Amino acid sequence: QSLEAWAADAKQVESQQALQKKIFQERCVELQAKLDKSRVAYYEKGRELQVVRIQHEEERQQLQQQKDEALRGHQSMEKEKRMLQEKVTDLEVQIAESLL
């Protein structure tokens, strides 16, 4: 081959490499943009998850308080029921004694 043909081939190879480099750089920029977008989405989901966890904990605490209040109410009603049963028993005894 002549020197001119070799130079033309070298120039064509350089041109192809430059084009490939440009395509590669553009692809890298695209991938970096996707990566950045994914990171943003990841952090946003993380924040959303944290909010949901906080809400869940608040709801759990509210339900626990309601449960505790209901239990106290039930215990109070049970105590009142026992007192009323004792009064009924006392009245029954008084009635029975008065009939004697």
Side-chain angles (χ1 to χ4, degrees):
Q1 279 190 347
S2 69
L3 187 57
E4 292 169 352
W6 181 83
D9 287 345
K11 191 160 187 100
Q12 185 178 6
V13 167
E14 283 180 13
S15 176
Q16 288 175 346
Q17 286 178 340
L19 179 60
Q20 288 174 345
K21 182 179 177 182
K22 184 177 180 183
I23 291 170
F24 177 74
Q25 287 172 334
E26 288 174 359
R27 184 69 179 139
C28 285
V29 168
E30 289 172 8
L31 291 174
Q32 185 63 49
K34 282 185 179 182
L35 178 61
D36 292 343
K37 187 176 179 181
S38 294
R39 283 183 179 153
V40 168
Y42 172 79
Y43 289 121
E44 287 175 354
K45 290 296 179 186
R47 284 194 304 266
E48 289 175 18
L49 178 60
Q50 189 63 26
V51 167
V52 168
R53 283 181 177 160
I54 290 169
Q55 289 172 342
H56 173 72
E57 180 59 23
E58 289 172 351
E59 289 173 5
R60 188 195 65 75
Q61 289 176 0
Q62 287 175 353
L63 288 173
Q64 185 62 45
Q65 288 174 351
Q66 290 172 357
K67 178 183 166 189
D68 293 344
E69 289 171 8
L71 180 60
R72 283 192 297 272
H74 175 73
Q75 290 170 339
S76 175
M77 290 181 79
E78 284 292 319
K79 184 178 179 182
E80 187 176 341
K81 178 182 170 185
R82 282 191 305 274
M83 288 173 37
L84 289 173
Q85 285 174 335
E86 288 173 6
K87 285 183 181 180
V88 166
T89 302
D90 287 346
L91 288 173
E92 287 174 342
V93 167
Q94 288 177 10
I95 291 172
E97 288 175 347
S98 71
L99 292 176
L100 294 177

